[in-house]
């Protein structure tokens, strides 16, 4: 569970930082040699030639890249809720009668409310790009499955006697959610690579 808790934030941050490193570090000058265009590196960053791209100029992004970056910004804005929820979960979810009440309180007071906010706001994100929307829908379904699992855990621990049936159902929901989230992460990575974010 904890393994997947910050993949989205880490991926978003790495993609944003990768995007900033895609900007040219040295100026490139295009020169015409016998009817062909060659690109050569220039060692002086601020030449006065109009054909030189200055380091201060930004590379123009495509519509897909703009949508992708807008999507990342929206994910970063809600990541705090997911982080709070996962931070409250124990590293191992081994339940006994002695830790039942403390786990229930963590689920009730921190995990479920924060993850509910995360999923609710995740559902409100609407990427314009169809491929990104497909990936987002899978992420949303996976996150919603995990939320349902946490709600089942909470119900299973709400009474003095632990409800093992609800725990088993919760485990199945969380596992399904994690699989969907992992698939969406892989598709997201592939899509980012297609856009030039390596």
């Amino acid at each position: 569970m904890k393994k997947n808790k910050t993949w989205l934030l880490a991926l978003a941050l790495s993609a944003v930082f990768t995007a900033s490193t895609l900007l040219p570090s040295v100026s490139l000058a295009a020169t015409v040699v016998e009817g062909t265009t060659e690109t050569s590196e220039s060692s002086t960053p601020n030449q006065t030639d109009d054909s030189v791209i200055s380091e201060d100029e930004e590379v123009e992004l495509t519509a897909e890249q703009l949508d992708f970056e807008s999507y990342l910004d929206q994910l970063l804005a809600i990541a705090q809720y997911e982080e709070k929820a996962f931070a409250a979960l124990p590293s191992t979810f081994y339940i006994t009668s002695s830790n039942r009440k403390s786990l229930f309180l963590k689920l009730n007071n921190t995990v479920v409310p924060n993850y509910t906010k995360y999923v609710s706001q995740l559902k409100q994100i609407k990427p314009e790009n169809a491929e990104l929307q497909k990936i987002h829908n899978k992420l949303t379904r996976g996150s919603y499955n995990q939320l349902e699992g946490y709600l089942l855990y909470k119900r299973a621990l709400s009474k003095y006697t632990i409800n093992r049936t609800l725990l088993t159902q919760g485990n199945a929901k969380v596992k399904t959610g994690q699989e969907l989230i992992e698939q969406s992460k892989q598709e997201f990575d592939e899509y980012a690579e297609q856009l030039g974010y390596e």
Side-chain angles (χ1 to χ4, degrees), residues 15-43:
V16 170
F17 290 131
T18 302
S20 67
T21 61
L22 292 175
L23 297 174
S25 58
V26 293
S27 297
L28 299 175
T31 57
V32 178
V33 177
E34 297 182 72
T36 63
T37 304
E38 293 181 353
T39 305
S40 61
E41 289 188 15
S42 171
S43 59

Side-chain angles (χ1 to χ4, degrees), residues 88-164:
L89 286 172
S91 57
T92 55
F93 213 82
Y94 185 73
I95 302 167
T96 64
S97 57
S98 61
N99 70 358
R100 178 203 60 83
K101 185 176 180 180
S102 67
L103 287 174
F104 170 78
L105 291 173
K106 285 179 183 180
L107 286 163
N108 189 57
N109 297 336
T110 308
V111 176
V112 170
N114 280 291
Y115 208 71
T116 299
K117 278 184 192 175
Y118 170 73
V119 172
S120 172
Q121 291 186 16
L122 190 63
K123 286 180 178 181
Q124 294 175 19
I125 298 174
K126 304 287 184 215
E128 292 180 26
N129 179 293
E131 191 169 348
L132 195 53
Q133 181 66 47
K134 180 182 161 192
I135 296 167
H136 177 73
N137 288 343
K138 190 174 284 188
L139 171 64
T140 303
R141 282 194 325 267
S143 299
Y144 187 75
N145 270 286
Q146 280 199 159
L147 176 60
E148 287 180 324
Y150 299 148
L151 289 168
L152 287 167
Y153 288 161
K154 183 177 132 180
R155 281 183 44 213
L157 303 176
S158 65
K159 306 248 189 277
Y160 184 74
T161 304
I162 299 169
N163 187 327
R164 301 286 175 194

